[in-house]
Amino acid sequence: IDGEVHNPLSLTLADLKSKFPVVTRQLQLECGGNGRAGFNPPASGNQWSLGAVGCANWTGVRMRDVFKAAGLKDSAVYTGYYGSDVHLSGDATKVVISRGAPIWKMMDPDTLLAFEMNGQPLPKWHGFPVRIVAPGWPGSVSGKWVQRIWVRDQVHDGPKMTGQGYRVPRYGVRPGDEVPLEDWRIIQSMPVKSIITYPINDATVPVDNRSMEVRGHAWAGDNTVKEMHVSIDFGSTWIKAELDAPVNKYAWQQWRSRINFPTKG
């Protein structure tokens, strides 16, 4: 960690595990493009349907504890991280991506430098040996394979952080509308969403029993979902579902509803 700190700090994985309180939290991470396959007109990028989200048990240290150890200055505004990603060209001198986040998000007690996922060392594809977990925000903020964190006195301008990169319009627009560059803002908290996990797609209801439990998960970025409703008639009517509180802040919430399907008449 360097930049707007009093003492540039270099830590090993063993240092993280021994010098700071270690915590485990259930935290949701979601790709900013989750659901992109449903866009019309289509958007570029990986055509995610509904599966680009998860809520694992992450174990690590609080980012704020590490920043405090480094002596964060009052002039600190934003972070910029650098991982061991390799540029598609193979040129090791080129930086693939350097995302960042406001200091206040990094100082959130649930923003972690994680080294375990579901009780095991981070898998390679999830950022071994250490990654950032900034829950409720686009997954791009939760950098993998972290090697360096630069604390800055301005909004980070690393690759993908300028122009329209990781930005959305400040207001709703129609497909094809032109939005001036100054009206784009960096994505922060993700919007409210839900997913059905049971029954599976294309399930059938037994003829002699038209009742079925439907259940799934709901989440809302930095926020908590207050109510969950289900519709089986394309939104003409709604059925209030049972909704559990999150096990901790930033965990997704379980919901369930007993649905009575109509019979053919």
Side-chain angles (χ1 to χ4, degrees), residues 80 103 140-141 167:
I103 288 297
S140 57
V141 181
R167 282 170 163 77

Side-chain angles (χ1 to χ4, degrees), residues 171-211:
Y171 43 80
V173 298
R174 293 171 298 186
D177 282 357
E178 293 292 330
V179 180
L181 187 60
E182 62 269 19
D183 287 342
W184 293 77
R185 63 173 178 81
I186 299 171
I187 303 171
Q188 295 188 356
S189 178
M190 293 291 286
V192 61
K193 287 184 181 177
S194 62
I195 190 171
I196 295 172
T197 58
Y198 181 86
I200 62 174
N201 289 344
D202 301 319
T204 57
V205 180
V207 175
D208 58 347
N209 183 4
R210 310 299 293 186
S211 178

Side-chain angles (χ1 to χ4, degrees), residues 70-83:
L72 196 68
K73 297 179 182 177
D74 292 339
S75 53
V77 170
Y78 225 86
T79 62
Y81 73 71
Y82 293 83

Side-chain angles (χ1 to χ4, degrees), residues 81-197:
Y81 73 71
Y82 293 83
S84 58
D85 312 57
V86 178
H87 196 273
L88 291 175
S89 68
D91 186 342
T93 65
K94 291 184 176 181
V95 178
V96 183
I97 178 177
S98 181
R99 188 77 158 85
I103 288 297
W104 61 264
K105 178 62 176 177
M106 293 293 100
M107 296 295 282
D108 185 305
D110 290 303
T111 296
L112 306 182
L113 273 175
F115 40 77
E116 288 185 6
M117 177 182 180
N118 293 331
Q120 300 293 325
L122 283 179
K124 175 182 177 181
W125 300 116
H126 285 280
F128 179 86
V130 65
R131 70 171 296 168
I132 298 167
V133 178
W137 285 33
S140 57
V141 181
S142 296
K144 303 176 184 178
W145 315 293
V146 174
Q147 294 182 332
R148 175 191 173 210
I149 298 174
W150 183 14
V151 181
R152 307 200 60 184
D153 61 359
Q154 65 178 59
V155 175
H156 188 47
D157 56 359
K160 304 290 187 182
M161 285 292 290
T162 57
Q164 296 177 358
Y166 295 117
R167 282 170 163 77
V168 294
R170 296 178 182 274
Y171 43 80
V173 298
R174 293 171 298 186
D177 282 357
E178 293 292 330
V179 180
L181 187 60
E182 62 269 19
D183 287 342
W184 293 77
R185 63 173 178 81
I186 299 171
I187 303 171
Q188 295 188 356
S189 178
M190 293 291 286
V192 61
K193 287 184 181 177
S194 62
I195 190 171
I196 295 172
T197 58

Side-chain angles (χ1 to χ4, degrees), residues 24-28 54-58 62 110 118 135 216-220 223-225 243-256:
T24 297
R25 304 284 281 172
Q26 192 178 123
L27 305 170
Q28 36 113 353
C55 191
N57 283 308
W58 300 99
R62 291 184 173 93
D110 290 303
N118 293 331
H217 311 304
W219 62 98
N223 301 305
T224 300
V225 179
L243 178 67
D244 296 341
V247 296
N248 55 246
K249 187 177 180 182
Y250 293 113
W252 61 17
Q253 298 165 244
Q254 316 303 324
W255 63 265
R256 67 205 62 82

